Each structure stands twice: as structure tokens, then as C-alpha cells.
Amino acid sequence: MRLLKLVPDNTNIKFLKFRVPFYVVSLLLIAASWGLVLTKGLNYGVDFAGGQEILATFEDRPDAPIPELRQSIGALPEIGEPVIQRFGAENQVSIRVKLPESVQGDKEAADRIKSMIVGSLQSDYPSIRIDGADSVSGKVSGEFREKAVYALLAAMIAIALYIWIRFEWQFGVGALFALFHDVSLTLGMFSLFQMEFGLQIIAAILAIIGYSLNDTIVVYDRIRENLKKYRRMPLPELLDLSVNETLARTVMTSLTLLVALVPLLAFGPASLFGLTAAITLGIFVGTYSSVYMAAPILIWLGVNSNSFVPQETVAERQDRIARGGEDPAA
Amino acid sequence: MLDFPRWKKIWLWGLTLVVMLAALPSLFSTANLTWPEALPDPTVNLGLDLAGGSHILLEAEPSKVAAQRLESMEESVRSVMRRAEPRVRIGDVSTRNGSLSFMLDDSSQVDMARELILPLSNGEGLIREWDIAVVDESRFVLTQTPQGVDNAVTAAMDSATEVVRKRIDSLGTREPTIIRQGDDRIVVQVPGLEDPEQLKALLGKTAKLEFKLVDQSALPSDVAQGIAPPGSQIFPYAPTSDFPGQSLAVKRLGGIKGDSLVDARQSFDQQDNEPVVTIQFDQQGGSKFAKLTSENVGKPFAIILDGEVLSAPNINEPILGGGAQISGGFTAETANNLAISLRSGALPVDLAVVEERTVGAELGADSIRKGVLAMMIGSVAVIALMVATYGRFGVYATIALAFNVLMILGIMAILNTTLTLPGLAGFLLTIGAAVDANVLINERIREERNKGRRVVQAVENGYREASRAIYDANITNFIAGVLLFLFGSGPIRGFAIVLILGLFTSVFTAVVLTRMWVAGWLRKSRPSELHI
């Protein structure tokens, strides 16, 4: 039986030839992402905005009366504009109402509004089935936001520190930058398409960070190995070699993850869709950033073949020169 | 490197099997099979987002604890001063800005008054709970120390947790989880409960019951404007009472609190057959109640629940039996709820519902069904890809993957952790990491073969060289996982737990176990060519 080979042996693709234009484009994308996040904002779900989300199934109807609902729920007092979308099957909806500013300080407002909406639904549509109801007060949602940001920052910084210790500081900076790139672009994407952003998406971003990191470390490990092996090879060439050597692995791993994720996107539960979509996107972004963000930055940060060779002391050097060794300083 | 002595093999297989066995009960329960009762069955708890149920986060209002403390301090001070021999007369009592201040009528009693107050101001273990200051020779100012307020809040939250537990148990729901969280929160999780309204109605009531004498000197016009005579305070009538919208002035001090109850039951009034709540005091409360009613026959007293007047009947005769009846426009259900709340004791602090999540069992089951289907399709695709690409090595990798999944489940069952939807994302990432480890190893073996190394050496180098990147990647992810667990909240923690466990199992299965299998195969069949 002949085995499948997705990537031929000994590829020699000049990945880093276009590093400058790619870097420019990526930096622009990062800037655009943050611009979007800061101007257009993220479409926070109830976890982060406070408010309530209700999932309901209209058991005796083929599809949900969304316009009708929009009107009847929008007319309730104390409530802002509801977001009503199909969720899962044709007759299932998700109804989302954010906490209006006026009740931000009122701890129990979210809970009260929820009871009101559920009551109204049940009296208008007696056969409705409430599948789920979340209500989050303004204070708790604020804490969720704060904690999510702390968790992300702490994780990213600790990762960078570890890589600094295991490799060199340039690698720590590179990995941190690649992670920053991935997180920025994911946030930008969520802002652009105004996809609901909740705690689950934070879990997805963490998974993306994890995956992207895996990728970056595999490439870095090979760079470190090659730096020791080919002492005289120019760095851009060495980086290209390292990326090419790990290319088969990169393609294979990404592909296996994709074949696992696509069925989840197509057949998985609706509640996992946002999370799976984010991870799927993250696989592309993460792979790209390992090659085009994490690797070239090493050139500009001044990594060289001495990075992983113990520095010789002045005495050792004099000793070596005295024995007839070459003097690189001369 | 590829040398596996017998003891090591036994040890590795033993560990694998034990952990995998622990996963069996969980698999049985998700497949709706019954697990033999004779065997221990630690199972993975499914989070409410997968199993269905209600999650409620209650938050206390610590400032109210401080206010209550001030009130009870005032009562204590008055009573020690009154009981002192000779009696210490005080006046101009004020409870503004969180401190209690009062003036002695006779400034020569300062030292005596200080002696009397001192024991009240210290908490357990010599912690000063109140600061005492004397200003202008005869004015005492008692200020709550932050430590004192903290202690009071902690104590209040501890007993509130107990009260919540009692009330929920009275509903007869299955396996509720009730946990103190942080300084001022209580988490309540009830699997299977899809309509938490009754639960919330029960928990939302403080059930602070008070009996206070009505101040008959108060002018109705003043009361309507909210002006209380000195020594009195105004409470509104409850919406269900006979005078909704009106208020009543009652004497501030000298009443009885409902915390000395031993029993409360819903029953019906013998005269008009209205639902009422019958309560029974303990001995001390009973004698206080007897004293109050005998001294005030013919006068009305107010029954006040959570700051609202339920009713204000006249005391027709002294009530000596230690029991009483509370009426106030109840339905059978509200009377029963009140009885439950009273039986379980008053909440020492108001609790507000600040987060509530309810997932219908239908939705949870649907999530699991669809998730399992999607994962099965995904697994078949991954297996096909791995075997088609790496042949025998791909087979080893996929068996290791299956072991990995079972081992995570097993460890989660042993540690009794909870699997949530974000946890499933953690699973996914772990599986990705495990696949990646094998891809790294196998690609490395290919490389080594291409360089012309001999079979055994290629495999050995492959494992050794790939391990470095695998360990580095896993350790960084582990660091990230630990930080996420420390800093994250609910769902993020669910993700972090699976991630952390999965890193260990994926290294164990993808690196250690496959190496043992490959080594066994190399030893047995001594191949001269590798198909990889």
C-alpha cells in the first residue's frame, strides 16, 4: 500500500521572501481589528453585557414567528431593542435583551426582566417550550469581562516568559507578538461580523492561543536546532529551511484538526457553533502567524547563530587564540 | 530509548488500564445503561449546560449587615444600661453614619458605662469589633471596625448558606449543590430543575419576622406623610394585607423577633377558613411573647415580615402557650412558602439573584447527541487520514488517541470534576495536541529515514528529536491552563481543567505508549524497511 504524502519531501518554498509586505499587511490588519473593536465594538452576549438570553422552541409551528416576537417583546416596559434570531432548527429562537443603562445599578433587574419576557411568551404562545434562560446582572457581567481580560493577559505573558527562558528573549517576544496577532484578528473578525461574543468565545480564543503556540514552538524548535547545526547559514535562509522542514507536519496537523472541526460545524449543537467557528478560523490565523509573524521578527530582533552557543569568556577566547584558533574579532 | 524492561511495561499498562476503567461508569451512564451496583461508580459530572438544570448566583448586601449590627448594638447598649445597678440613664441616641452615639445624663458615670460597654465591643479571640470613644466628657461614640463588619458578614454568609440549603431541601429537589463563593456570594446549582421561579421566590424572602407594638399615639396624617413619632418607625402594609398602600407606625424597640421559632406550618383559620401560618416559639421566645401579650392586652400589635406589615390584630388575651397564628391575606401556596421560609430560619442578610442560567434537559440532551455524532464523524475522518498517511504508525496513533479520550474521562471521574460545553472545546484542543505529537514524531522518523538512517535508529531519533518540541509546547500550554484556572471564571475554568488533564494524558498516550508499542513491534519483527 502506498502511503499518502500531502507534502513532497525536501520542499524549498521561499516563505520569507515576502516577509516585509506580509508584515505590513498583518500590521495593518491588526490596526484595523483594533480600530473596529474600539469604534464598532464587540457584540457582547449576556455574559459580558448583562441582560438575558432565552432559548425557546415553538413546538406546534414549523417556524418561529420572529417579526411578531420582535414587536411583542420590544413593547414590554424596561427593555431595550431585543435581538431575536433563529437558533438551531427553524422553529427555535434565541431572544437576547441587553440591560438598559437605566437599570445598570439594579442587581435584580436582569432577573425581573427575564421573568417578564418568559411570562409574556408563555401567555402569547401556550405551546412554547423554554429551552434555556440566562440572566446576568450588570455587576456580574462586568466581573466576567474583567476576569476574562486578566486571564488572557496573564496567560500570554507567562507563555512569553517561559519561551524566553527555554529559548532566547527574541523568541519570547516573537511568540507574544504572534499571539497578539491571533487574538487581535479574532477580535476584529468578531467585531466586523458582529458575532455574539461571550465566555465561550474566550474559551475559543484560548484554544486558538494554545494551537498557535504549538505551531510557533514547533517552528522555533527547528530554528534553534538549525542554528546550532548550520552556523554559517544566513538567517533568512535558515528560517526558510526550518519552515520547509516542518511544513509536512504543519499541513498534516492543521488538516487533521480541520477534519475534526468541520463535522462539528456542520452537525454539532448550535450552542457550540460560535466556539467551533472561532477555533476553525484560528487554525488558519495561528498557522499563518507562526510562519509570517513569529519567524521573521527574529531577523529584526537580531537572532544569530551564537544565540544558542554558550558565550565564551574573554579568558577562554584568549586561550583558544593562543592555541591557534581563529579570532572572529580580528 | 526503545528499551522497555518488563517492569516498565507492566507499570505503563497497569496505569493505562486503571485510569481507563475509571471512565467506564461514565460511558455506561451516557449510553443509558445501568452500571452494576456492586461496583464503585465515580462518574464525570455533566455541567448544567449539558445535563439541564438551573444555576443561580446569589449576592448579599454587606452594607445591610452593618446596619443590622448597628441596630442590635443599640438594643444591647440600652438593655445593659437599664439593667445596671444603679441604672445608667442615656439620651440623645443617634445611629447616623454607621456609628452609635449617645449621651450620659450623669457624666460621673462615664467609667461605669465604659466598663459596661467594653464586653459588647469585643468579638471572639480579642478582636476589637467596635471602637469606643468618649467626646465632650459624656458622649459615647461607638464605631464599627472594618474587622468587625467583615466578621459579621462572614458569619451572616455562613448561616445564610445553611438557610438556603434548608429551604432548597424542603423543595425535595435532587442533589443540589450549594457553595459559598468569595466573600458575599452563594452558588446554587440544581440539576434537572427547569423552572427555578419557585426556588427564587423561596430564596428571595429574607423571612425576617417581627412582632412590634403599634404606636397608637401616632397621628394618621403624620403616618401617611411618613413622619414617625419619637421612638417609633413606619412600615408599609404588605400588598396582600387588608390595607395595601397604607402605612403603620410601630414602636421601634421592645418587640419580639421571629428567630426563636421552633416550628412553622401552613394551616387554616378556624373561624373564616383563611390560610394562615401557625408558628411555635422556643421556650425563651414563648415566655417573651407571653410577657408582651399579657402586658398589652387590648392593644394592637403588628406582624411584620421583611419590613412589611402583614396584619395588626388586637391582643384579645395573653398568649401563653408559646404559639401564634399569622394571618395576612395568604393563599395556601404563599402560606406554605412562608412556613418553609420561617422553619428554615430568617436569612441574616438580603440575597439578590445576580446570575441565573437555566438549561432545559431537552436542549442539553440535544447538545450531547449532536456533539457525539459530530465527534464520531470527525474521529472516523481523523483515523482515515492518519492511517492513510502513516500506515502502521497511524494505527498506533489512533489507538493512542482513543486511549487518551478514555483516560481524560477516567481522571475526570476520579477527581469528580464537571464536563461543560467549553470543556468539550478543551477536549478538542487536547485531541489536536495528541495528533500533533504523533505527526511530529512520524514526520521526524520520515526525515531520519530520508537521511539514510537505519530503521531502529530513525525511530529512536524521531522520538527523541520530536520530544523536545512536544514537551515545550505542552509545558507552555500547561502554564496557560494553570493561569486560566486561577484567573478565569466558570466556563473558562471548565476549559482549563480539561486542558490541563489532557496535556498529561496526551503526552502519556501519544509519546510514551506509542513508543512502547513501536518498540515491541521493532523487537518482534525486526523490519528492514519502514513504511511511513
Side-chain angles (χ1 to χ4, degrees), chain B residues 428-492:
Chain B
L428 217 60
L429 184 60
T430 300
I431 290 170
V435 169
D436 189 48
N438 282 120
V439 170
L440 276 168
I441 293 165
N442 295 342
E443 287 295 336
R444 198 67 187 225
I445 296 175
R446 267 189 186 172
E447 261 180 71
E448 296 290 320
R449 282 295 289 163
N450 287 347
K451 280 188 208 154
R453 295 231 200 286
R454 290 215 315 273
V455 169
V456 173
Q457 225 197 342
V459 172
E460 245 178 48
N461 283 355
Y463 271 94
R464 191 180 50 237
E465 298 295 324
S467 293
R468 218 179 29 238
I470 295 171
Y471 285 124
D472 270 334
N474 280 293
I475 292 170
T476 30
N477 266 320
F478 174 75
I479 293 171
V482 170
L483 284 164
L484 293 176
F485 187 78
L486 293 179
F487 286 96
S489 45
I492 297 185

Side-chain angles (χ1 to χ4, degrees), chain B residues 65 149-161 180 348-349:
Chain B
V65 175
V149 177
D150 283 354
N151 285 354
V153 171
T154 307
M157 288 304 289
D158 283 341
S159 60
T161 311
R180 270 281 301 276
V349 53

Side-chain angles (χ1 to χ4, degrees), chain A residues 1 4 47 107 111 114 131-135 137 139 143 158 162 166 214 221-222 225 249 253 261, chain B residues 59 185 200 354-358 360 362 388 428 436 443-444 447 450 468 472-473 476-477 483 531:
Chain A
M1 189 184 80
L4 190 65
D47 293 338
K107 269 192 208 171
D111 187 46
K114 190 213 102 188
D131 289 323
D134 291 356
S135 74
S137 80
K139 186 175 172 200
E143 281 173 23
Y162 174 78
R166 277 291 283 152
N214 240 25
D221 179 70
R222 191 55 77 103
E225 194 182 322
R249 169 266 159 198
T253 299
L261 283 169
Chain B
E59 189 179 78
R185 287 183 178 164
K200 272 160 41 192
V354 288
E355 185 195 351
E356 185 208 319
R357 293 172 194 273
T358 310
E362 198 82 23
L428 217 60
D436 189 48
E443 287 295 336
R444 198 67 187 225
E447 261 180 71
N450 287 347
R468 218 179 29 238
D472 270 334
T476 30
N477 266 320
L483 284 164
H531 216 59

Side-chain angles (χ1 to χ4, degrees), chain A residues 227-254:
Chain A
L227 277 172
K228 288 180 193 164
K229 213 186 294 171
Y230 309 105
R231 305 280 322 255
R232 292 178 182 281
M233 190 184 282
L235 195 58
E237 210 172 298
L238 187 135
L239 296 182
D240 263 338
L241 175 73
S242 308
V243 173
N244 273 297
E245 281 180 352
T246 51
L247 189 63
R249 169 266 159 198
T250 306
V251 171
M252 183 66 190
T253 299
S254 310

Side-chain angles (χ1 to χ4, degrees), chain B residues 334-445:
Chain B
T334 54
N336 190 39
N337 270 355
L338 176 59
I340 293 176
S341 307
L342 290 176
R343 261 207 312 274
S344 52
L347 280 173
V349 53
D350 276 347
L351 296 174
V353 176
V354 288
E355 185 195 351
E356 185 208 319
R357 293 172 194 273
T358 310
V359 178
E362 198 82 23
L363 185 67
D366 191 49
S367 294
I368 294 185
R369 205 168 42 238
K370 286 186 169 162
V372 168
L373 172 75
M375 278 184 161
M376 273 162 63
I377 298 173
S379 307
V380 171
V382 170
I383 292 171
L385 191 59
M386 290 296 278
V387 176
T389 313
Y390 300 120
R392 170 181 288 274
F393 286 76
V395 174
Y396 290 147
T398 51
I399 297 175
L401 207 57
F403 279 26
N404 183 24
V405 172
L406 288 176
M407 285 181 87
I408 299 178
L409 275 179
I411 294 177
M412 289 184 78
I414 293 171
L415 298 180
N416 205 17
T417 52
T418 304
L419 183 63
T420 56
L421 269 179
L424 286 180
F427 240 92
L428 217 60
L429 184 60
T430 300
I431 290 170
V435 169
D436 189 48
N438 282 120
V439 170
L440 276 168
I441 293 165
N442 295 342
E443 287 295 336
R444 198 67 187 225
I445 296 175

Side-chain angles (χ1 to χ4, degrees), chain B residues 323-334:
Chain B
Q325 208 179 55
I326 303 170
S327 57
F330 297 123
T331 63
E333 199 197 340
T334 54

Side-chain angles (χ1 to χ4, degrees), chain B residues 135-251:
Chain B
V135 293
D136 304 336
E137 295 192 352
S138 64
R139 172 168 284 282
F140 274 78
V141 180
L142 276 74
T143 314
Q144 314 198 38
T145 61
Q147 179 85 58
V149 177
D150 283 354
N151 285 354
V153 171
T154 307
M157 288 304 289
D158 283 341
S159 60
T161 311
E162 261 329 290
V163 172
V164 167
R165 190 185 309 279
K166 279 189 203 156
R167 291 194 188 173
I168 290 173
D169 284 345
S170 73
L171 284 179
T173 42
R174 280 193 314 127
E175 300 171 36
T177 312
I178 297 147
I179 312 169
R180 270 281 301 276
Q181 192 182 67
D183 292 336
D184 55 0
R185 287 183 178 164
I186 302 173
V187 180
V188 177
Q189 294 188 321
V190 189
L193 181 75
E194 286 182 37
D195 181 16
E197 291 307 317
Q198 198 198 353
L199 180 63
K200 272 160 41 192
L202 212 51
L203 296 180
K205 272 216 179 59
T206 315
K208 193 174 149 206
L209 186 64
E210 292 166 292
F211 299 94
K212 292 192 169 189
L213 285 171
V214 173
D215 186 348
Q216 290 173 292
S217 69
L219 293 169
S221 56
D222 280 356
V223 172
Q225 283 176 31
I227 304 168
S232 290
Q233 63 192 127
I234 292 181
F235 286 109
Y237 271 100
T240 53
S241 68
D242 291 341
F243 309 100
Q246 297 186 30
S247 298
L248 186 68
V250 298
K251 303 247 195 225

